[in-house]
Amino acid sequence: MVSARVLQLLVLACLVYALPARGDESHLVIAPQSPVLEIGTNFTATCMIINTAEVTADDLYWNLSKTTVPREQYTKINGSALSVTVPIIDEKPVWLFCLCKKVSSYFFLNEGKFIHGIYLTKGYQPGKPENLSCVALQEKQYISTTFSCKWEASGRQTPEVPTTYTLNVAVIPSSRTYNVSTPKNSAQVEFEDSFPNHMTLEVWVEAHNKLGKIQSEHLKEDAGWFVKTNPPSDVEIISEKGFSTSLLTNWSHPIPKVYVKLIYQIRYCPNGSQNWTYVPLSDTATDIQSFRLQNLQPDTVYVTQVRCKNEKKGHVYWSNWSSNATRRTPEDRPTSKPDLWRIITEVASINERHVQFICKDPVSANGRIRRFDIQIQDQPAKVKNGSSEWESIPVNRSDSSPSQREITVLKQIELADKKSVKVSVMAVNSMGKSPEASLVISEKAREFAPVEELKVWPSGGQLWLEWKPPNRMLPSEYVVEWVSDDGRDWQREHRNTRLTTIKGNLEKFVCYNVSVYPIYSGCTGKPASLETFLEQGAPRAAPAIQVNGKPGRNEAELVWKHIPRREQQGFITNYTIFLTTGSEMHQITVPANTTSYTVRSLSGNTKYDAWLRASTIQGSANGTNHSFTTLKYAPGEMESIVVGVSLGFMFIVVTTMLLCVYKKDVIKENFWPRIPDPGESTIGNWSPDYPLKAETPKENCVSGISVLDVDVCDGKCVFEEDKASLPLKKDKYLSEEHSSGIGGSSCMSSPRQSVSDSDEGGDMADTTASTVQYSSVVAPSGYKGQTPSCQPQQAIFSRSESTQPLLDSEENPDMLLQEGSKQSQRLPRQPCFTHTAGNQDSISQLEMEKQKELEPLDFCPLEEDSEQTPTDGQSADWMPAASASSYMPQLGGYRPQ
């Protein structure tokens, strides 16, 4: 609001400055004041100093709006006047100011008196009005008094310098002038009383603005020359029987002849068509009210219109066309043949063809076709002179004229491959029969050659065809056939045709099978065919994809069906299979003729989403989504695992059983070794002279332990025999001679090493587990079963190790059973020792050990090895010495492990 107020004050100040200066108000004046300037010219203004001598022309300068004008454009007239010349180059109005430099104290006190400006208004010269035209319309039976004119404005205008037009109409010879002004390019004048018929009118337009004025060309014509009447009334068309190619047209004058004399024009066309046919003006350029239309088609509905204008030469105002008048021409006999064609379906299994005969009405049917007469003859004809019977096939046609010729199915026959027939057809209406059309269906093996190099392509909303004729024969004509899912149609072409277009009604996005048949004097040759589209688009939908059967673990077979031709809307270029699982997506492109694809390298026990995309050159469409889950195990994999494991287990079991059967001795020896039982040993039966005595074991001794006691009376013999062996038993052997026997165990003896173990030391426990020790005493003067002598002899004690038990109890199981009830075997208790000086220490040691033997024991320690020198007269038998691992130190006996 404040800025608007400031702008208003500024404009008022400028207006004050623009006013002529009085002596007491301003010292600068510009001439001319507020001029209107033509764009494209140069303007010169002069600034004059008045009522002061404080400044001169040298102190003045010019501003165009806020821009200072260069001094090159200044002109000094005298000491008190300075002019400037500026070009007028645009349409925007500007201010031109004359100002003075600050040169004195008087200027500082009266600065407002030393400025003056003018407002430069810009515009164009008015253009000459062109194409002036005027008209007076008919009103009822008279001509209206309103005279309307219009013209075309030329040149340019600006809002500051608008152009005004004045319409001038002068009536001659009355010298009466009518005029009206308007800023538009049209205007009307009203005549007094009535329209000036039979007088001369002069009309012109004047354009003017602040920069000038100009007139249009003058129209000077008879008043009737400007009249535009109504169209003829009561237009009527008459159809006359017997005149099948003509119609009579009648009408009435729209205005009395006393005012205007008229001429007429007529046009007509078949109903539904926009291709009008005009009757030449030379035939209707007279004052007439009827006219006969000639050369029309019989039984055709025609639309007719009539218009009129003043007959004066040069008159251009035709009336509007009359309303439509329609009439059908009378019928006439068909003058052209029916368009006969056939549809052949091969049946190879029975060597026959299904032949269906169809036809279209004649082009010049000249009436409504009521029936077709058809005749089928074998070739060569069996009946001559046309005496074969004709069959009539009635048809039902509507009275309305169809926009396209209808197709009629005549008859269907079964024709053998080796048979040929000729078909003749005539169309019949109420006035007669048409000429005969014929077609020959040749034997299948004798069909003629097709055309060559057929090409079909869309262009300009039409389908174009091009071909070359067969090399051997020139056809008499060609038949172009196009078939879609909705129907079939055909057209005939001249024998010299090589390039043509299909003239039928074709639809976009529909697949057509286009064929060209050469016709040889009625015989049809083989067709050349191609599929095409008038215009292709994206498929309406893609096929639904499915899994064939059940998916496997790593693969799945995806199947789909072909898109119906109506849904394709173009040639399918390819299919794309999309597979998604989680965030991963895979796509596979397959050819358009594929209906299945096996996807491999899938993950087991995984859900997949699959869909199909069908593509044409114009776009693509996606099918519905299908989900499937792969198997955790492949078919038969679990069964194979179970069978394999079962077979492996059975193989192991059978192998183990066979090994047990064939290697039972080895297994028994390794896992259950036979350990000899000292309690069942026959060591006490070395000599028949010393019978065994069964005694109850002492309470302080573990049962199952055998102790060998030597009678006192035998001591002499024993020690006499040992004299030779004592040197061999030093140290540990003397401490072991009181053993209960080889391999035996005495409750009073302690574990000692044998001769064979003296070198092994502490490794005894390691070797006795697998080695059975045997000792033997060889008497030099006797054998088992012989009575030894009491004479001193050299005794030999030998020891051996073996893994084979050779006890009598093992060799004789029956003896083992007899001896099983015995707890122990003892010899006479009284020891017999020979006290000599050489063995006094040994005897003392033996007595000490004997005393320990009489002491009760809580348990019997195991003997790793025991050796005893046999007494005189006893023979040594093989006896195993039990290892440390073969006996358990527990009360009640021993237990093998």
Side-chain angles (χ1 to χ4, degrees):
M1 191 69 181
V2 175
S3 60
R5 183 65 177 172
V6 172
L7 181 61
Q8 183 179 5
L9 293 175
L10 180 61
V11 171
L12 292 176
C14 294
L15 291 176
V16 171
Y17 292 144
L19 293 176
R22 297 195 299 267
D24 57 348
E25 291 185 356
S26 178
H27 297 301
L28 299 179
V29 176
I30 299 177
Q33 291 287 320
S34 300
V36 177
L37 306 176
E38 183 180 358
I39 298 173
T41 61
N42 292 327
F43 170 66
T44 301
T46 303
C47 182
M48 297 172 289
I49 303 173
I50 58 174
N51 302 326
T52 184
E54 295 292 332
V55 296
T56 64
D58 296 331
D59 300 324
L60 302 180
Y61 66 94
W62 294 88
N63 272 3
L64 191 62
S65 291
K66 296 182 180 181
T67 303
T68 301
V69 180
R71 285 201 165 267
E72 291 79 7
Q73 299 177 221
Y74 297 170
T75 301
K76 183 177 179 182
I77 299 176
N78 52 38
S80 61
L82 180 69
S83 64
V84 66
T85 301
V86 294
I88 308 303
I89 56 177
D90 55 20
E91 297 180 357
K92 184 179 180 181
V94 293
W95 285 89
L96 181 63
F97 294 99
C98 179
L99 300 98
C100 183
K101 298 178 182 178
K102 301 176 182 180
V103 295
S104 65
S105 59
Y106 179 81
F107 176 85
F108 285 101
L109 295 176
N110 301 276
E111 183 177 355
K113 295 183 179 182
F114 290 92
I115 183 172
H116 190 247
I118 58 174
Y119 188 71
L120 304 183
T121 302
K122 305 175 183 180
Y124 297 93
Q125 289 278 351
K128 181 180 180 180
E130 297 178 353
N131 298 327
L132 174 63
S133 62
C134 300
V135 63
L137 301 178
Q138 179 182 352
E139 189 175 288
K140 297 181 180 180
Q141 294 295 319
Y142 305 96
I143 300 174
S144 174
T145 57
T146 301
F147 190 73
S148 302
C149 297
K150 61 181 181 179
W151 57 90
E152 293 179 2
S154 62
R156 302 171 64 183
Q157 302 182 40
T158 61
E160 291 77 15
V161 186
T163 300
T164 303
Y165 300 95
T166 301
L167 174 63
N168 301 280
V169 180
V171 180
I172 301 173
S174 66
S175 300
R176 181 83 179 251
T177 302
Y178 301 88
N179 53 63
V180 60
S181 295
T182 178
K184 302 179 181 179
N185 61 345
S186 63
Q188 296 177 346
V189 295
E190 293 288 337
F191 294 113
E192 295 179 356
D193 299 331
S194 63
F195 184 78
N197 291 300
H198 310 297
M199 292 186 181
T200 301
L201 299 178
E202 185 177 4
V203 184
W204 72 96
V205 176
E206 183 180 77
H208 55 87
N209 60 17
K210 295 178 181 180
L211 295 175
K213 60 182 179 179
I214 190 172
Q215 293 183 356
S216 68
E217 298 291 339
H218 288 228
L219 289 178
K220 190 175 182 180
E221 298 288 347
D222 183 83
W225 191 88
F226 299 99
V227 174
K228 180 179 180 180
T229 65
N230 293 333
S233 60
D234 303 326
V235 178
E236 181 184 9
I237 299 179
I238 301 173
S239 174
E240 300 174 305
K241 190 175 182 179
F243 297 91
S244 60
T245 60
S246 67
L247 292 173
L248 181 62
T249 304
N250 295 328
W251 63 89
S252 299
H253 292 301
I255 192 171
K257 296 181 180 179
V258 66
Y259 299 114
V260 179
K261 291 184 178 180
L262 302 175
I263 59 175
Y264 299 90
Q265 186 178 24
I266 303 172
R267 68 178 183 179
Y268 62 91
C269 70
N271 189 19
S273 174
Q274 297 298 324
N275 297 323
W276 293 96
T277 301
Y278 291 83
V279 176
L281 286 176
S282 58
D283 296 338
T284 58
T286 55
D287 186 13
I288 59 176
Q289 290 182 282
S290 64
F291 188 82
R292 182 179 293 277
L293 302 177
Q294 303 287 342
N295 300 322
L296 305 180
Q297 293 294 328
D299 193 47
T300 303
V301 177
Y302 284 92
V303 178
T304 304
Q305 294 178 341
V306 183
R307 68 177 180 177
C308 60
K309 73 170 185 174
N310 193 328
E311 68 174 359
K312 290 186 178 293
K313 187 177 180 181
H315 190 274
V316 295
Y317 296 113
W318 285 98
S319 68
N320 297 330
W321 289 102
S322 64
S323 59
N324 292 342
T326 60
R327 182 68 64 180
R328 181 185 294 272
T329 55
E331 288 189 2
D332 194 4
R333 182 179 68 84
T335 57
S336 63
K337 301 177 183 180
D339 195 350
L340 178 62
W341 192 234
R342 88 289 182 277
I343 302 174
I344 299 178
T345 305
E346 304 289 343
V347 184
S349 59
I350 57 177
N351 296 324
E352 281 189 354
R353 295 168 289 174
H354 296 310
V355 182
Q356 187 180 58
F357 298 104
I358 58 177
C359 74
K360 290 191 285 189
D361 293 351
V363 176
S364 301
N366 297 338
R368 183 165 59 90
I369 300 300
R370 301 178 182 271
R371 75 174 191 271
F372 288 96
D373 292 342
I374 183 171
Q375 181 189 53
I376 301 177
Q377 293 178 309
D378 292 337
Q379 292 293 312
K382 296 181 179 179
V383 181
K384 298 180 181 181
N385 300 325
S387 59
S388 298
E389 294 184 359
W390 288 79
E391 180 182 356
S392 295
I393 300 175
V395 294
N396 185 14
R397 293 280 189 270
S398 61
D399 292 336
S400 61
S401 177
S403 59
Q404 191 172 0
R405 296 156 61 194
E406 297 186 27
I407 299 176
T408 304
V409 178
L410 300 177
K411 194 172 183 179
Q412 180 171 317
I413 64 172
E414 308 296 329
L415 184 63
D417 291 345
K418 296 182 179 180
K419 189 176 180 181
S420 177
V421 295
K422 179 181 179 181
V423 181
S424 301
V425 175
M426 293 185 297
V428 182
N429 64 7
S430 61
M431 301 301 293
K433 297 181 179 181
S434 71
E436 181 180 310
S438 62
L439 186 66
V440 177
I441 308 300
S442 306
E443 298 178 11
K444 185 176 180 180
R446 297 184 59 186
E447 292 181 345
F448 296 96
V451 299
E452 298 178 355
E453 299 181 17
L454 175 63
K455 299 178 183 178
V456 182
W457 69 93
S459 178
Q462 292 181 311
L463 277 182
W464 290 80
L465 291 86
E466 185 179 12
W467 66 85
K468 292 183 179 180
N471 291 329
R472 298 180 181 179
M473 299 175 59
L474 183 62
S476 56
E477 63 176 343
Y478 298 97
V479 172
V480 178
E481 179 188 54
W482 57 97
V483 181
S484 65
D485 293 338
D486 296 336
R488 171 189 309 266
D489 201 355
W490 67 94
Q491 68 188 35
R492 296 183 181 271
E493 299 292 340
H494 192 265
R495 61 184 298 176
N496 295 326
T497 302
R498 302 292 180 268
L499 179 66
T500 187
T501 61
I502 292 180
K503 301 174 179 63
N505 295 326
L506 302 179
E507 299 181 14
K508 297 179 180 179
F509 316 133
V510 175
C511 182
Y512 290 96
N513 186 10
V514 180
S515 303
V516 176
Y517 294 81
I519 307 299
Y520 303 90
S521 301
C523 297
T524 307
K526 293 181 180 180
S529 303
L530 287 175
E531 287 188 343
T532 187
F533 285 85
L534 179 63
E535 183 177 336
Q536 297 190 58
R540 292 184 179 178
I545 196 169
Q546 293 181 345
V547 177
N548 187 17
K550 294 183 178 180
R553 182 178 183 275
N554 301 112
E555 63 181 26
E557 184 181 6
L558 304 177
V559 296
W560 60 89
K561 297 181 180 179
H562 281 300
I563 306 177
R565 292 179 61 178
R566 192 69 178 177
E567 302 292 328
Q568 291 180 10
Q569 300 196 140
F571 291 113
I572 302 298
T573 56
N574 58 67
Y575 292 110
T576 304
I577 301 172
F578 289 88
L579 279 176
T580 61
T581 173
S583 59
E584 295 183 4
M585 175 181 288
H586 304 278
Q587 61 183 37
I588 305 165
T589 302
V590 297
N593 58 352
T594 306
T595 57
S596 65
Y597 186 82
T598 300
V599 184
R600 308 184 187 278
S601 301
L602 301 179
S603 300
N605 195 27
T606 304
K607 182 180 179 182
Y608 287 91
D609 293 327
W611 70 88
L612 195 68
R613 173 181 291 175
S615 302
T616 65
I617 60 174
Q618 294 295 331
S620 59
N622 293 333
T624 56
N625 183 64
H626 178 73
S627 299
F628 64 92
T629 303
T630 55
L631 299 178
K632 187 174 183 180
Y633 298 100
E637 184 177 359
M638 181 60 70
E639 291 81 353
S640 300
I641 294 174
V642 173
V643 172
V645 172
S646 301
L647 291 176
F649 180 75
M650 292 178 63
F651 176 77
I652 294 173
V653 171
V654 171
T655 304
T656 305
M657 293 176 64
L658 292 175
L659 287 174
C660 291
V661 170
Y662 288 102
K663 300 292 183 178
K664 60 182 179 179
D665 295 335
V666 177
I667 295 174
K668 184 176 181 181
E669 180 179 351
N670 284 276
F671 291 95
W672 299 283
R674 298 187 64 182
I675 302 173
D677 187 0
E680 303 298 330
S681 178
T682 59
I683 192 172
N685 298 329
W686 284 356
S687 176
D689 297 334
Y690 296 92
L692 297 175
K693 294 181 181 181
E695 294 183 2
T696 303
K698 296 181 182 182
E699 294 179 358
N700 59 354
C701 185
V702 180
S703 63
I705 306 293
S706 299
V707 179
L708 180 63
D709 294 335
V710 182
D711 196 70
V712 177
C713 62
D714 296 328
K716 180 180 179 180
C717 297
V718 172
F719 287 101
E720 288 178 355
E721 295 174 355
D722 292 339
K723 289 179 181 180
S725 61
L726 285 177
L728 298 173
K729 299 182 181 178
K730 292 178 182 180
D731 301 330
K732 61 180 179 179
Y733 298 123
L734 291 177
S735 65
E736 294 175 357
E737 65 181 355
H738 200 65
S739 174
S740 63
I742 298 172
S745 177
S746 174
C747 295
M748 299 178 63
S749 63
S750 60
R752 296 176 178 88
Q753 292 182 342
S754 63
V755 176
S756 62
D757 297 332
S758 62
D759 296 333
E760 297 177 340
D763 296 335
M764 182 64 185
D766 297 334
T767 60
T768 57
S770 60
T771 304
V772 181
Q773 300 177 2
Y774 298 89
S775 298
S776 65
V777 179
V778 180
S781 60
Y783 190 67
K784 187 177 181 180
Q786 298 178 0
T787 303
S789 65
C790 293
Q791 303 217 353
Q793 299 177 359
Q794 182 68 33
I796 300 175
F797 178 78
S798 64
R799 184 175 180 88
S800 66
E801 295 181 358
S802 175
T803 59
Q804 298 294 330
L806 298 175
L807 297 179
D808 291 343
S809 61
E810 297 173 355
E811 298 177 358
N812 301 310
D814 296 337
M815 182 181 295
L816 182 60
L817 293 174
Q818 293 175 3
E819 298 295 328
S821 60
K822 298 180 181 181
Q823 299 295 327
S824 64
Q825 298 294 334
R826 294 177 181 269
L827 295 177
R829 293 177 179 270
Q830 291 80 11
C832 182
F833 300 102
T834 302
H835 298 277
T836 60
N839 60 358
Q840 185 64 37
D841 295 335
S842 298
I843 293 173
S844 300
Q845 185 177 359
L846 291 174
E847 289 179 355
M848 292 177 67
E849 292 181 357
K850 186 68 174 182
Q851 291 299 327
K852 291 181 180 181
E853 185 177 350
L854 296 178
E855 295 178 2
L857 298 175
D858 293 337
F859 63 91
C860 294
L862 295 177
E863 296 181 357
E864 294 184 1
D865 196 3
S866 298
E867 296 181 1
Q868 181 176 348
T869 305
T871 59
D872 187 17
Q874 293 178 335
S875 62
D877 200 354
W878 292 106
M879 176 66 182
S883 64
S885 62
S886 301
Y887 296 90
M888 296 284 293
Q890 59 184 357
L891 188 60
Y894 78 97
R895 180 178 298 171
Q897 295 182 357

